[in-house]
Amino acid sequence: MLLRGKTVVVSGVGAGLGHQVAAAVVRDGGNAVLGARTAANLAKTAAEIDPDGGHTAHLPTDITDERQCEALAALAAERFGGIDAVVHVAAWDSTFGGIQDADFGTWQQILDVNLLGTLRMTRACLPALKDAGGGSVVLIGTQSAVAAPSEVRQTAYAASKGALTSAMYSLARELGPHRIRVNTVLPGWMWGPPVQAFVTFTAHTENVPEAEVLARLTDRMALPDLATDGDVADAAVFLASDRARAITGQSLLVNAGELMR
């Protein structure tokens, strides 16, 4: 029960990692305040992880809109009395390609969501985090920001998440005096809806079994399985908890040992 009595804001709650983070918060004794653009996804997750409704609240939230970020933070304070942590899952990760075929207008939108949107949501939560005497900000980054995969090219996504990881160091220094910790989880290949779709699509395109495509990924891991959405969620919950009270300005790779450093 790492988060007993704690209130955690979770952005980007959909069918994948956001759902798993929210579920882990409630499982470990916390209150989860859920934000995402789609109201139906929020209601579905809340009903699944907290049928009685005593440990969740939710509000449609677009993190490119500062007022909507402030409204989600206000909901957390109103419903549960404050905020102890925020986990940033919301991201634009569906644009593929490199610089040669880049639409820089789209890249600017990706930066607005992944970098500035995360910072907007963080700032909206700061008053409540300070009032609580400190807390935790957990950023969800990506291993592709430090080691590009060969199978897919997502240069804009990687660049935006790399910028966010760089911002983490400054945020950790700035917010440390308020006892607010800032850390990043860097997932690699993560078994959940996006990777499942990639494996299925690749197998269909190449007319090979899905197990063969999956083996190409797992063969490079030190452990014989991919990390899952749940594994990444558990890492986020740890960093959000008081068990990580002396950890700030750090990036934690959750990747089954694909990349070690």
Side-chain angles (χ1 to χ4, degrees), residues 155-208:
T155 306
Y157 175 67
S160 67
K161 290 293 192 174
L164 188 60
T165 300
S166 294
M168 172 193 70
Y169 301 115
S170 294
L171 294 178
R173 286 289 185 189
E174 178 184 355
L175 302 180
H178 302 286
R179 292 186 171 84
I180 299 171
R181 300 174 289 105
V182 187
N183 294 288
T184 300
V185 179
L186 298 177
W189 287 96
M190 178 176 63
W191 189 250
V195 172
Q196 289 171 327
F198 168 80
V199 169
T200 299
F201 173 78
T202 303
H204 177 75
T205 301
E206 299 181 7
N207 195 28
V208 297

mmCIF file of all heavy atoms in Angstrom, residues 155-208:
data_model
loop_
_atom_site.group_PDB
_atom_site.id
_atom_site.type_symbol
_atom_site.label_atom_id
_atom_site.label_comp_id
_atom_site.label_asym_id
_atom_site.label_seq_id
_atom_site.Cartn_x
_atom_site.Cartn_y
_atom_site.Cartn_z
ATOM 1 N N THR A 155 10.826 10.458 -34.754
ATOM 2 C CA THR A 155 11.781 11.483 -34.377
ATOM 3 C C THR A 155 11.137 12.606 -33.577
ATOM 4 O O THR A 155 11.704 13.083 -32.580
ATOM 5 C CB THR A 155 12.469 12.062 -35.629
ATOM 6 O OG1 THR A 155 13.023 10.975 -36.385
ATOM 7 C CG2 THR A 155 13.580 13.024 -35.250
ATOM 8 N N ALA A 156 9.960 13.050 -33.973
ATOM 9 C CA ALA A 156 9.305 14.145 -33.258
ATOM 10 C C ALA A 156 8.955 13.727 -31.836
ATOM 11 O O ALA A 156 9.158 14.488 -30.879
ATOM 12 C CB ALA A 156 8.064 14.596 -34.014
ATOM 13 N N TYR A 157 8.401 12.542 -31.688
ATOM 14 C CA TYR A 157 8.043 12.033 -30.365
ATOM 15 C C TYR A 157 9.284 11.913 -29.488
ATOM 16 O O TYR A 157 9.290 12.368 -28.328
ATOM 17 C CB TYR A 157 7.361 10.684 -30.519
ATOM 18 C CG TYR A 157 7.041 9.970 -29.223
ATOM 19 C CD1 TYR A 157 6.093 10.485 -28.342
ATOM 20 C CD2 TYR A 157 7.667 8.770 -28.894
ATOM 21 C CE1 TYR A 157 5.787 9.829 -27.159
ATOM 22 C CE2 TYR A 157 7.364 8.110 -27.714
ATOM 23 C CZ TYR A 157 6.425 8.635 -26.857
ATOM 24 O OH TYR A 157 6.129 7.976 -25.687
ATOM 25 N N ALA A 158 10.346 11.325 -30.039
ATOM 26 C CA ALA A 158 11.573 11.157 -29.270
ATOM 27 C C ALA A 158 12.163 12.504 -28.864
ATOM 28 O O ALA A 158 12.624 12.679 -27.727
ATOM 29 C CB ALA A 158 12.596 10.353 -30.083
ATOM 30 N N ALA A 159 12.151 13.461 -29.798
ATOM 31 C CA ALA A 159 12.711 14.780 -29.494
ATOM 32 C C ALA A 159 11.912 15.484 -28.401
ATOM 33 O O ALA A 159 12.490 16.118 -27.501
ATOM 34 C CB ALA A 159 12.738 15.635 -30.756
ATOM 35 N N SER A 160 10.595 15.379 -28.470
ATOM 36 C CA SER A 160 9.763 16.036 -27.456
ATOM 37 C C SER A 160 9.975 15.416 -26.085
ATOM 38 O O SER A 160 10.050 16.123 -25.072
ATOM 39 C CB SER A 160 8.288 15.960 -27.852
ATOM 40 O OG SER A 160 7.806 14.624 -27.832
ATOM 41 N N LYS A 161 10.095 14.105 -26.034
ATOM 42 C CA LYS A 161 10.320 13.437 -24.758
ATOM 43 C C LYS A 161 11.745 13.666 -24.255
ATOM 44 O O LYS A 161 11.983 13.734 -23.035
ATOM 45 C CB LYS A 161 10.037 11.940 -24.888
ATOM 46 C CG LYS A 161 8.570 11.596 -25.065
ATOM 47 C CD LYS A 161 7.767 11.915 -23.808
ATOM 48 C CE LYS A 161 6.374 11.322 -23.867
ATOM 49 N NZ LYS A 161 5.617 11.496 -22.612
ATOM 50 N N GLY A 162 12.698 13.774 -25.184
ATOM 51 C CA GLY A 162 14.059 14.106 -24.774
ATOM 52 C C GLY A 162 14.131 15.488 -24.144
ATOM 53 O O GLY A 162 14.820 15.710 -23.144
ATOM 54 N N ALA A 163 13.387 16.439 -24.730
ATOM 55 C CA ALA A 163 13.334 17.785 -24.165
ATOM 56 C C ALA A 163 12.709 17.756 -22.774
ATOM 57 O O ALA A 163 13.150 18.466 -21.860
ATOM 58 C CB ALA A 163 12.536 18.702 -25.085
ATOM 59 N N LEU A 164 11.694 16.921 -22.597
ATOM 60 C CA LEU A 164 11.043 16.813 -21.297
ATOM 61 C C LEU A 164 11.996 16.237 -20.256
ATOM 62 O O LEU A 164 12.040 16.712 -19.109
ATOM 63 C CB LEU A 164 9.801 15.933 -21.430
ATOM 64 C CG LEU A 164 8.884 15.847 -20.220
ATOM 65 C CD1 LEU A 164 8.341 17.213 -19.841
ATOM 66 C CD2 LEU A 164 7.740 14.876 -20.503
ATOM 67 N N THR A 165 12.774 15.227 -20.641
ATOM 68 C CA THR A 165 13.753 14.663 -19.718
ATOM 69 C C THR A 165 14.797 15.705 -19.349
ATOM 70 O O THR A 165 15.218 15.800 -18.185
ATOM 71 C CB THR A 165 14.414 13.419 -20.326
ATOM 72 O OG1 THR A 165 13.406 12.435 -20.603
ATOM 73 C CG2 THR A 165 15.443 12.822 -19.389
ATOM 74 N N SER A 166 15.228 16.507 -20.312
ATOM 75 C CA SER A 166 16.190 17.581 -20.011
ATOM 76 C C SER A 166 15.586 18.601 -19.049
ATOM 77 O O SER A 166 16.250 19.085 -18.133
ATOM 78 C CB SER A 166 16.630 18.275 -21.301
ATOM 79 O OG SER A 166 17.363 17.391 -22.123
ATOM 80 N N ALA A 167 14.308 18.917 -19.250
ATOM 81 C CA ALA A 167 13.631 19.860 -18.358
ATOM 82 C C ALA A 167 13.562 19.316 -16.933
ATOM 83 O O ALA A 167 13.555 20.087 -15.963
ATOM 84 C CB ALA A 167 12.237 20.168 -18.880
ATOM 85 N N MET A 168 13.497 17.999 -16.807
ATOM 86 C CA MET A 168 13.410 17.379 -15.486
ATOM 87 C C MET A 168 14.522 17.842 -14.557
ATOM 88 O O MET A 168 14.286 18.104 -13.372
ATOM 89 C CB MET A 168 13.466 15.860 -15.627
ATOM 90 C CG MET A 168 13.570 15.111 -14.302
ATOM 91 S SD MET A 168 14.010 13.363 -14.540
ATOM 92 C CE MET A 168 15.728 13.499 -15.102
ATOM 93 N N TYR A 169 15.741 17.964 -15.077
ATOM 94 C CA TYR A 169 16.868 18.340 -14.219
ATOM 95 C C TYR A 169 16.654 19.725 -13.617
ATOM 96 O O TYR A 169 16.869 19.943 -12.418
ATOM 97 C CB TYR A 169 18.173 18.301 -15.020
ATOM 98 C CG TYR A 169 18.485 16.949 -15.611
ATOM 99 C CD1 TYR A 169 18.506 16.752 -16.985
ATOM 100 C CD2 TYR A 169 18.733 15.857 -14.789
ATOM 101 C CE1 TYR A 169 18.783 15.503 -17.533
ATOM 102 C CE2 TYR A 169 19.009 14.605 -15.323
ATOM 103 C CZ TYR A 169 19.036 14.441 -16.696
ATOM 104 O OH TYR A 169 19.293 13.202 -17.223
ATOM 105 N N SER A 170 16.207 20.662 -14.451
ATOM 106 C CA SER A 170 15.955 22.017 -13.951
ATOM 107 C C SER A 170 14.781 22.041 -12.991
ATOM 108 O O SER A 170 14.808 22.751 -11.968
ATOM 109 C CB SER A 170 15.701 22.969 -15.122
ATOM 110 O OG SER A 170 16.861 23.114 -15.913
ATOM 111 N N LEU A 171 13.726 21.282 -13.297
ATOM 112 C CA LEU A 171 12.573 21.235 -12.406
ATOM 113 C C LEU A 171 12.954 20.646 -11.047
ATOM 114 O O LEU A 171 12.488 21.120 -10.001
ATOM 115 C CB LEU A 171 11.461 20.395 -13.032
ATOM 116 C CG LEU A 171 10.810 20.933 -14.303
ATOM 117 C CD1 LEU A 171 9.770 19.939 -14.815
ATOM 118 C CD2 LEU A 171 10.161 22.281 -14.060
ATOM 119 N N ALA A 172 13.779 19.615 -11.059
ATOM 120 C CA ALA A 172 14.191 19.001 -9.801
ATOM 121 C C ALA A 172 14.939 20.001 -8.922
ATOM 122 O O ALA A 172 14.748 20.039 -7.697
ATOM 123 C CB ALA A 172 15.057 17.773 -10.073
ATOM 124 N N ARG A 173 15.777 20.833 -9.526
ATOM 125 C CA ARG A 173 16.494 21.870 -8.779
ATOM 126 C C ARG A 173 15.540 22.962 -8.294
ATOM 127 O O ARG A 173 15.619 23.415 -7.154
ATOM 128 C CB ARG A 173 17.577 22.491 -9.656
ATOM 129 C CG ARG A 173 18.787 21.628 -9.888
ATOM 130 C CD ARG A 173 19.623 21.501 -8.639
ATOM 131 N NE ARG A 173 20.848 20.758 -8.905
ATOM 132 C CZ ARG A 173 21.683 20.349 -7.957
ATOM 133 N NH1 ARG A 173 21.421 20.621 -6.685
ATOM 134 N NH2 ARG A 173 22.768 19.669 -8.263
ATOM 135 N N GLU A 174 14.654 23.390 -9.180
ATOM 136 C CA GLU A 174 13.748 24.487 -8.840
ATOM 137 C C GLU A 174 12.753 24.098 -7.748
ATOM 138 O O GLU A 174 12.458 24.900 -6.842
ATOM 139 C CB GLU A 174 12.972 24.918 -10.095
ATOM 140 C CG GLU A 174 11.955 26.027 -9.849
ATOM 141 C CD GLU A 174 11.127 26.371 -11.076
ATOM 142 O OE1 GLU A 174 11.403 25.807 -12.160
ATOM 143 O OE2 GLU A 174 10.208 27.201 -10.957
ATOM 144 N N LEU A 175 12.232 22.881 -7.820
ATOM 145 C CA LEU A 175 11.167 22.475 -6.917
ATOM 146 C C LEU A 175 11.671 21.728 -5.686
ATOM 147 O O LEU A 175 10.917 21.535 -4.726
ATOM 148 C CB LEU A 175 10.154 21.599 -7.673
ATOM 149 C CG LEU A 175 9.524 22.267 -8.904
ATOM 150 C CD1 LEU A 175 8.538 21.319 -9.577
ATOM 151 C CD2 LEU A 175 8.839 23.573 -8.531
ATOM 152 N N GLY A 176 12.928 21.329 -5.717
ATOM 153 C CA GLY A 176 13.499 20.611 -4.582
ATOM 154 C C GLY A 176 13.352 21.329 -3.248
ATOM 155 O O GLY A 176 13.027 20.685 -2.237
ATOM 156 N N PRO A 177 13.575 22.648 -3.191
ATOM 157 C CA PRO A 177 13.410 23.342 -1.907
ATOM 158 C C PRO A 177 12.005 23.230 -1.325
ATOM 159 O O PRO A 177 11.813 23.426 -0.116
ATOM 160 C CB PRO A 177 13.753 24.798 -2.260
ATOM 161 C CG PRO A 177 14.695 24.687 -3.406
ATOM 162 C CD PRO A 177 14.181 23.525 -4.202
ATOM 163 N N HIS A 178 11.024 22.922 -2.168
ATOM 164 C CA HIS A 178 9.654 22.713 -1.695
ATOM 165 C C HIS A 178 9.376 21.239 -1.399
ATOM 166 O O HIS A 178 8.232 20.851 -1.174
ATOM 167 C CB HIS A 178 8.657 23.210 -2.743
ATOM 168 C CG HIS A 178 8.819 24.650 -3.104
ATOM 169 N ND1 HIS A 178 8.424 25.676 -2.269
ATOM 170 C CD2 HIS A 178 9.364 25.239 -4.201
ATOM 171 C CE1 HIS A 178 8.693 26.840 -2.840
ATOM 172 N NE2 HIS A 178 9.255 26.599 -4.014
ATOM 173 N N ARG A 179 10.436 20.444 -1.409
ATOM 174 C CA ARG A 179 10.340 18.990 -1.205
ATOM 175 C C ARG A 179 9.467 18.316 -2.266
ATOM 176 O O ARG A 179 8.777 17.337 -1.987
ATOM 177 C CB ARG A 179 9.847 18.660 0.201
ATOM 178 C CG ARG A 179 10.862 19.014 1.280
ATOM 179 C CD ARG A 179 10.421 18.541 2.657
ATOM 180 N NE ARG A 179 11.503 18.702 3.628
ATOM 181 C CZ ARG A 179 11.764 19.845 4.288
ATOM 182 N NH1 ARG A 179 11.008 20.919 4.053
ATOM 183 N NH2 ARG A 179 12.765 19.905 5.146
ATOM 184 N N ILE A 180 9.525 18.863 -3.462
ATOM 185 C CA ILE A 180 8.838 18.248 -4.598
ATOM 186 C C ILE A 180 9.887 17.563 -5.463
ATOM 187 O O ILE A 180 10.815 18.210 -5.956
ATOM 188 C CB ILE A 180 8.061 19.291 -5.422
ATOM 189 C CG1 ILE A 180 6.982 19.956 -4.558
ATOM 190 C CG2 ILE A 180 7.432 18.642 -6.654
ATOM 191 C CD1 ILE A 180 6.316 21.137 -5.220
ATOM 192 N N ARG A 181 9.746 16.261 -5.615
ATOM 193 C CA ARG A 181 10.691 15.473 -6.398
ATOM 194 C C ARG A 181 10.200 15.351 -7.840
ATOM 195 O O ARG A 181 8.993 15.310 -8.081
ATOM 196 C CB ARG A 181 10.846 14.073 -5.796
ATOM 197 C CG ARG A 181 11.361 14.096 -4.375
ATOM 198 C CD ARG A 181 11.373 12.726 -3.730
ATOM 199 N NE ARG A 181 10.031 12.227 -3.435
ATOM 200 C CZ ARG A 181 9.404 11.297 -4.113
ATOM 201 N NH1 ARG A 181 9.973 10.720 -5.171
ATOM 202 N NH2 ARG A 181 8.183 10.900 -3.774
ATOM 203 N N VAL A 182 11.137 15.289 -8.780
ATOM 204 C CA VAL A 182 10.793 15.179 -10.196
ATOM 205 C C VAL A 182 11.668 14.091 -10.820
ATOM 206 O O VAL A 182 12.908 14.209 -10.822
ATOM 207 C CB VAL A 182 11.002 16.513 -10.944
ATOM 208 C CG1 VAL A 182 10.463 16.397 -12.375
ATOM 209 C CG2 VAL A 182 10.333 17.674 -10.215
ATOM 210 N N ASN A 183 11.035 13.061 -11.330
ATOM 211 C CA ASN A 183 11.757 11.936 -11.927
ATOM 212 C C ASN A 183 11.059 11.490 -13.211
ATOM 213 O O ASN A 183 9.910 11.858 -13.471
ATOM 214 C CB ASN A 183 11.811 10.756 -10.947
ATOM 215 C CG ASN A 183 12.638 11.069 -9.718
ATOM 216 O OD1 ASN A 183 13.855 11.143 -9.782
ATOM 217 N ND2 ASN A 183 11.956 11.271 -8.584
ATOM 218 N N THR A 184 11.771 10.696 -13.989
ATOM 219 C CA THR A 184 11.252 10.223 -15.271
ATOM 220 C C THR A 184 11.349 8.704 -15.361
ATOM 221 O O THR A 184 12.376 8.118 -14.985
ATOM 222 C CB THR A 184 12.045 10.839 -16.440
ATOM 223 O OG1 THR A 184 11.935 12.258 -16.395
ATOM 224 C CG2 THR A 184 11.528 10.354 -17.781
ATOM 225 N N VAL A 185 10.303 8.075 -15.850
ATOM 226 C CA VAL A 185 10.337 6.659 -16.205
ATOM 227 C C VAL A 185 10.514 6.573 -17.718
ATOM 228 O O VAL A 185 9.785 7.218 -18.475
ATOM 229 C CB VAL A 185 9.038 5.937 -15.796
ATOM 230 C CG1 VAL A 185 9.095 4.470 -16.206
ATOM 231 C CG2 VAL A 185 8.817 6.062 -14.293
ATOM 232 N N LEU A 186 11.485 5.796 -18.153
ATOM 233 C CA LEU A 186 11.775 5.637 -19.578
ATOM 234 C C LEU A 186 11.417 4.208 -20.003
ATOM 235 O O LEU A 186 12.215 3.288 -19.845
ATOM 236 C CB LEU A 186 13.257 5.894 -19.865
ATOM 237 C CG LEU A 186 13.803 7.291 -19.568
ATOM 238 C CD1 LEU A 186 15.304 7.339 -19.843
ATOM 239 C CD2 LEU A 186 13.080 8.342 -20.390
ATOM 240 N N PRO A 187 10.235 3.995 -20.534
ATOM 241 C CA PRO A 187 9.902 2.661 -21.031
ATOM 242 C C PRO A 187 10.600 2.386 -22.365
ATOM 243 O O PRO A 187 10.826 3.296 -23.170
ATOM 244 C CB PRO A 187 8.377 2.727 -21.245
ATOM 245 C CG PRO A 187 7.929 4.014 -20.621
ATOM 246 C CD PRO A 187 9.109 4.925 -20.651
ATOM 247 N N GLY A 188 10.919 1.125 -22.582
ATOM 248 C CA GLY A 188 11.339 0.674 -23.899
ATOM 249 C C GLY A 188 10.131 0.053 -24.584
ATOM 250 O O GLY A 188 9.008 0.548 -24.467
ATOM 251 N N TRP A 189 10.357 -1.056 -25.293
ATOM 252 C CA TRP A 189 9.227 -1.799 -25.851
ATOM 253 C C TRP A 189 8.369 -2.283 -24.689
ATOM 254 O O TRP A 189 8.863 -2.949 -23.784
ATOM 255 C CB TRP A 189 9.718 -2.973 -26.688
ATOM 256 C CG TRP A 189 10.304 -2.565 -27.994
ATOM 257 C CD1 TRP A 189 11.619 -2.363 -28.272
ATOM 258 C CD2 TRP A 189 9.588 -2.302 -29.209
ATOM 259 N NE1 TRP A 189 11.780 -1.987 -29.581
ATOM 260 C CE2 TRP A 189 10.552 -1.940 -30.184
ATOM 261 C CE3 TRP A 189 8.247 -2.335 -29.570
ATOM 262 C CZ2 TRP A 189 10.210 -1.616 -31.491
ATOM 263 C CZ3 TRP A 189 7.909 -2.011 -30.875
ATOM 264 C CH2 TRP A 189 8.874 -1.657 -31.817
ATOM 265 N N MET A 190 7.099 -1.943 -24.700
ATOM 266 C CA MET A 190 6.232 -2.147 -23.546
ATOM 267 C C MET A 190 4.966 -2.858 -24.019
ATOM 268 O O MET A 190 4.223 -2.323 -24.849
ATOM 269 C CB MET A 190 5.910 -0.778 -22.953
ATOM 270 C CG MET A 190 4.978 -0.767 -21.784
ATOM 271 S SD MET A 190 4.806 0.921 -21.130
ATOM 272 C CE MET A 190 4.061 1.775 -22.537
ATOM 273 N N TRP A 191 4.727 -4.069 -23.513
ATOM 274 C CA TRP A 191 3.590 -4.845 -23.985
ATOM 275 C C TRP A 191 2.296 -4.221 -23.470
ATOM 276 O O TRP A 191 1.999 -4.191 -22.290
ATOM 277 C CB TRP A 191 3.693 -6.292 -23.524
ATOM 278 C CG TRP A 191 2.657 -7.170 -24.164
ATOM 279 C CD1 TRP A 191 1.588 -7.742 -23.566
ATOM 280 C CD2 TRP A 191 2.589 -7.538 -25.550
ATOM 281 N NE1 TRP A 191 0.861 -8.467 -24.473
ATOM 282 C CE2 TRP A 191 1.441 -8.360 -25.703
ATOM 283 C CE3 TRP A 191 3.381 -7.261 -26.663
ATOM 284 C CZ2 TRP A 191 1.076 -8.897 -26.932
ATOM 285 C CZ3 TRP A 191 3.010 -7.799 -27.880
ATOM 286 C CH2 TRP A 191 1.869 -8.610 -28.010
ATOM 287 N N GLY A 192 1.541 -3.712 -24.410
ATOM 288 C CA GLY A 192 0.276 -3.039 -24.161
ATOM 289 C C GLY A 192 -0.349 -2.774 -25.517
ATOM 290 O O GLY A 192 0.185 -3.211 -26.558
ATOM 291 N N PRO A 193 -1.445 -2.052 -25.576
ATOM 292 C CA PRO A 193 -2.160 -1.869 -26.845
ATOM 293 C C PRO A 193 -1.311 -1.385 -28.022
ATOM 294 O O PRO A 193 -1.426 -1.961 -29.115
ATOM 295 C CB PRO A 193 -3.260 -0.861 -26.477
ATOM 296 C CG PRO A 193 -3.546 -1.158 -25.044
ATOM 297 C CD PRO A 193 -2.210 -1.501 -24.437
ATOM 298 N N PRO A 194 -0.426 -0.376 -27.885
ATOM 299 C CA PRO A 194 0.337 0.067 -29.058
ATOM 300 C C PRO A 194 1.283 -1.008 -29.602
ATOM 301 O O PRO A 194 1.362 -1.213 -30.819
ATOM 302 C CB PRO A 194 1.106 1.288 -28.543
ATOM 303 C CG PRO A 194 0.309 1.780 -27.393
ATOM 304 C CD PRO A 194 -0.232 0.547 -26.746
ATOM 305 N N VAL A 195 2.009 -1.686 -28.706
ATOM 306 C CA VAL A 195 2.952 -2.710 -29.168
ATOM 307 C C VAL A 195 2.202 -3.941 -29.670
ATOM 308 O O VAL A 195 2.621 -4.577 -30.648
ATOM 309 C CB VAL A 195 3.948 -3.070 -28.047
ATOM 310 C CG1 VAL A 195 4.812 -4.269 -28.446
ATOM 311 C CG2 VAL A 195 4.841 -1.869 -27.743
ATOM 312 N N GLN A 196 1.093 -4.269 -29.041
ATOM 313 C CA GLN A 196 0.277 -5.368 -29.550
ATOM 314 C C GLN A 196 -0.173 -5.081 -30.983
ATOM 315 O O GLN A 196 -0.126 -5.966 -31.851
ATOM 316 C CB GLN A 196 -0.944 -5.571 -28.647
ATOM 317 C CG GLN A 196 -0.601 -6.150 -27.286
ATOM 318 C CD GLN A 196 -1.788 -6.141 -26.346
ATOM 319 O OE1 GLN A 196 -2.630 -5.251 -26.410
ATOM 320 N NE2 GLN A 196 -1.850 -7.111 -25.448
ATOM 321 N N ALA A 197 -0.577 -3.844 -31.226
ATOM 322 C CA ALA A 197 -1.005 -3.467 -32.580
ATOM 323 C C ALA A 197 0.166 -3.536 -33.559
ATOM 324 O O ALA A 197 0.004 -3.972 -34.710
ATOM 325 C CB ALA A 197 -1.598 -2.067 -32.566
ATOM 326 N N PHE A 198 1.361 -3.112 -33.117
ATOM 327 C CA PHE A 198 2.542 -3.175 -33.980
ATOM 328 C C PHE A 198 2.871 -4.619 -34.346
ATOM 329 O O PHE A 198 3.157 -4.923 -35.510
ATOM 330 C CB PHE A 198 3.740 -2.529 -33.273
ATOM 331 C CG PHE A 198 5.054 -2.790 -33.942
ATOM 332 C CD1 PHE A 198 5.439 -2.049 -35.054
ATOM 333 C CD2 PHE A 198 5.902 -3.785 -33.480
ATOM 334 C CE1 PHE A 198 6.648 -2.308 -35.692
ATOM 335 C CE2 PHE A 198 7.120 -4.042 -34.106
ATOM 336 C CZ PHE A 198 7.487 -3.291 -35.223
ATOM 337 N N VAL A 199 2.843 -5.496 -33.356
ATOM 338 C CA VAL A 199 3.154 -6.905 -33.612
ATOM 339 C C VAL A 199 2.136 -7.512 -34.574
ATOM 340 O O VAL A 199 2.504 -8.204 -35.536
ATOM 341 C CB VAL A 199 3.204 -7.689 -32.282
ATOM 342 C CG1 VAL A 199 3.261 -9.201 -32.549
ATOM 343 C CG2 VAL A 199 4.408 -7.258 -31.455
ATOM 344 N N THR A 200 0.868 -7.240 -34.354
ATOM 345 C CA THR A 200 -0.177 -7.782 -35.229
ATOM 346 C C THR A 200 -0.042 -7.243 -36.647
ATOM 347 O O THR A 200 -0.128 -8.001 -37.629
ATOM 348 C CB THR A 200 -1.568 -7.432 -34.664
ATOM 349 O OG1 THR A 200 -1.706 -8.029 -33.369
ATOM 350 C CG2 THR A 200 -2.670 -7.940 -35.579
ATOM 351 N N PHE A 201 0.181 -5.942 -36.777
ATOM 352 C CA PHE A 201 0.311 -5.328 -38.104
ATOM 353 C C PHE A 201 1.531 -5.873 -38.841
ATOM 354 O O PHE A 201 1.454 -6.219 -40.029
ATOM 355 C CB PHE A 201 0.439 -3.808 -37.964
ATOM 356 C CG PHE A 201 0.732 -3.100 -39.251
ATOM 357 C CD1 PHE A 201 -0.274 -2.863 -40.180
ATOM 358 C CD2 PHE A 201 2.029 -2.677 -39.547
ATOM 359 C CE1 PHE A 201 0.010 -2.216 -41.378
ATOM 360 C CE2 PHE A 201 2.318 -2.033 -40.736
ATOM 361 C CZ PHE A 201 1.303 -1.799 -41.664
ATOM 362 N N THR A 202 2.669 -5.970 -38.156
ATOM 363 C CA THR A 202 3.889 -6.455 -38.796
ATOM 364 C C THR A 202 3.733 -7.908 -39.227
ATOM 365 O O THR A 202 4.153 -8.288 -40.333
ATOM 366 C CB THR A 202 5.085 -6.309 -37.841
ATOM 367 O OG1 THR A 202 5.209 -4.934 -37.447
ATOM 368 C CG2 THR A 202 6.375 -6.755 -38.505
ATOM 369 N N ALA A 203 3.144 -8.721 -38.370
ATOM 370 C CA ALA A 203 2.945 -10.128 -38.718
ATOM 371 C C ALA A 203 2.043 -10.263 -39.940
ATOM 372 O O ALA A 203 2.318 -11.076 -40.842
ATOM 373 C CB ALA A 203 2.339 -10.872 -37.531
ATOM 374 N N HIS A 204 0.994 -9.459 -39.988
ATOM 375 C CA HIS A 204 0.078 -9.509 -41.137
ATOM 376 C C HIS A 204 0.779 -9.026 -42.404
ATOM 377 O O HIS A 204 0.642 -9.645 -43.469
ATOM 378 C CB HIS A 204 -1.148 -8.639 -40.846
ATOM 379 C CG HIS A 204 -2.110 -8.567 -41.998
ATOM 380 N ND1 HIS A 204 -2.953 -9.609 -42.333
ATOM 381 C CD2 HIS A 204 -2.359 -7.574 -42.899
ATOM 382 C CE1 HIS A 204 -3.677 -9.265 -43.374
ATOM 383 N NE2 HIS A 204 -3.343 -8.045 -43.752
ATOM 384 N N THR A 205 1.536 -7.934 -42.299
ATOM 385 C CA THR A 205 2.212 -7.372 -43.466
ATOM 386 C C THR A 205 3.254 -8.329 -44.029
ATOM 387 O O THR A 205 3.398 -8.464 -45.255
ATOM 388 C CB THR A 205 2.893 -6.040 -43.089
ATOM 389 O OG1 THR A 205 1.890 -5.130 -42.608
ATOM 390 C CG2 THR A 205 3.608 -5.429 -44.275
ATOM 391 N N GLU A 206 3.985 -9.009 -43.145
ATOM 392 C CA GLU A 206 5.061 -9.901 -43.578
ATOM 393 C C GLU A 206 4.599 -11.349 -43.733
ATOM 394 O O GLU A 206 5.387 -12.212 -44.120
ATOM 395 C CB GLU A 206 6.217 -9.830 -42.580
ATOM 396 C CG GLU A 206 6.833 -8.430 -42.468
ATOM 397 C CD GLU A 206 7.985 -8.381 -41.486
ATOM 398 O OE1 GLU A 206 8.388 -9.476 -40.984
ATOM 399 O OE2 GLU A 206 8.490 -7.281 -41.217
ATOM 400 N N ASN A 207 3.341 -11.603 -43.376
ATOM 401 C CA ASN A 207 2.785 -12.953 -43.456
ATOM 402 C C ASN A 207 3.611 -13.950 -42.643
ATOM 403 O O ASN A 207 3.993 -15.029 -43.120
ATOM 404 C CB ASN A 207 2.682 -13.410 -44.918
ATOM 405 C CG ASN A 207 1.790 -14.639 -45.070
ATOM 406 O OD1 ASN A 207 0.874 -14.851 -44.278
ATOM 407 N ND2 ASN A 207 2.072 -15.459 -46.074
ATOM 408 N N VAL A 208 3.888 -13.561 -41.410
ATOM 409 C CA VAL A 208 4.623 -14.427 -40.483
ATOM 410 C C VAL A 208 3.821 -14.509 -39.187
ATOM 411 O O VAL A 208 2.966 -13.657 -38.909
ATOM 412 C CB VAL A 208 6.040 -13.892 -40.202
ATOM 413 C CG1 VAL A 208 6.870 -13.868 -41.486
ATOM 414 C CG2 VAL A 208 5.984 -12.509 -39.554
#
